[in-house]
Amino acid sequence: MSPRGVAIPDLRERLFDAAERVLARDGAAGLTSRAVTAEADCAKGVLHTHFAGLDEFVAELVLDRFGRSARVAAALPAEAGRGTVAGHLLALASAVLSLDPGVVGLAVTRPAAAARVREAWEAGAPGFDAIQASLEAYLVAERDLGRTPADLDVGAVALALVGTLHHLLMTGRPDAPPPVEQIERLVGALVGRPGAN
């Protein structure tokens, strides 16, 4: 509720967006419930009204952002036969790498939040495993259409791409440009250059 008692539309997303701005400006040390609510222009206690504490908020933020990328991956199998395989893999990589490294890093630096994220993933919340499974299903569909080699090891390709994205996210700096050239080279090595299939 806002200070006047009126429900705030999309409060969860508003708080998440505010947290990303705080992280970008002040780093992980500056992320407090008060900083988030001030950035979101909400009442000071509103975060604790909707979340059990800052660790739960951070965990939900991380899960929400991974969920976005997982939805992009889940849509891939329906795209089989359209565009190029490499183009689709690059689009997925771009979606995953659009995750804020500061947000991803929070799940490592805050043990209680990290535990909540792990538990949610183990219970089926979408994370790297879901992205990898969707990517593998997409590559199987493309292989069945003859747009990739018949002997393509789709499991190895999916693991290589998702594993690389995981590494880049965990080691990336928030102010660094996206590693577009590295991903293009990797995708080219795995399935060929865009336009090739």
Side-chain angles (χ1 to χ4, degrees), residues 1 68 77 80 93 116 129 145-147 171:
M1 301 293 265
R68 286 181 178 181
R116 284 177 180 270
D129 286 348
L145 291 170
R147 288 176 20 112
T171 60

Side-chain angles (χ1 to χ4, degrees), residues 124-142:
F128 283 115
D129 286 348
I131 294 168
Q132 184 176 333
S134 295
L135 177 54
E136 192 167 336
Y138 164 72
L139 290 169
V140 167
E142 292 287 24

